[in-house]
Amino acid sequence: FAPLELAEDWDNVGLLIGDFHKPVQRVMTCLTVTPETVEEGIERSVDLIVSHHPFPFQALKKITTDTTGGRMLWDIIRHGIAVYSPHTAFDSAGRGINQSLAEMMGLTNVQPLKELPSVIENVGTGRMGDFDGIALNELMTRLKVELKLESLAYVGALEQSCRRVAVACGSGGSFLKTAIAAGCDTFVTGETTFHTCLEAKAENVALVLLGHYASERFACEKLAVELKKAFPNLETWASELESDPINRI
């Protein structure tokens, strides 16, 4: 589903905590390992957490309870919970997050924004595809409905025509130049920097910011369903305590 060879070189993916030989019966998916998802996993006696974002992401010199990360690691290990992360392999997979976002928008002629050297078809970083031409406002309305969002941040004019659209989930601002080089007039991502927003405006490229959480969490919910289909004897669910840490009024 998300072969690890598709992951970026800098990423930390695969089984990050756990015993390869321990039986698994209860699996919870989530976007990120947080105190809330750890608490839920412990309370519901989960065997495996499949977290999109790696945990731990970077090497640690110590595991102690005086830091948030240390406390979570200590609790996970004490309760025998394994953690697996597909991260950028899931982003780039043929049925991964970016492909799902492209299909959600209704793009045609969908292809990777940046090809990856692989024998697997339709994989790569990000996605891009075509519309016959819809207004930015209509595209944003579609995204709000599909992702159950009340508002979106954007750069551009609401009446601006969107014909070739690039998408990169999460913190995808670094792919703006790639999208422009590919002839895209619109770029949809989770979050980016202020200066990337200025660059998009200067290049007359519409930019839609879904929020990091919204751009990826839906796929973790779908992944729980996929795992249940593949392994009917498992009890699988997407975390019910996880939420976007960013509030809006």
Side-chain angles (χ1 to χ4, degrees), residues 103-115:
E103 293 172 0
M104 181 186 297
M105 287 187 282
L107 293 173
T108 61
N109 305 317
V110 176
Q111 57 188 298
L113 180 60
K114 180 182 177 183
E115 295 282 355

Side-chain angles (χ1 to χ4, degrees), residues 104-105 131 134-162 165 186-189 206-210:
M104 181 186 297
M105 287 187 282
F131 283 124
I134 65 172
L136 176 60
N137 189 41
E138 182 181 345
L139 173 59
M140 290 170 60
T141 298
R142 188 174 301 182
L143 286 165
K144 285 192 287 187
V145 170
E146 292 290 342
L147 294 172
K148 300 178 177 62
L149 298 172
E150 294 184 359
S151 63
L152 287 173
Y154 69 98
V155 173
L158 290 176
E159 67 276 9
Q160 191 167 338
S161 179
C162 303
V165 180
T186 308
F187 183 42
V188 178
T189 188
L207 177 64
V208 180
L209 303 178
L210 304 173

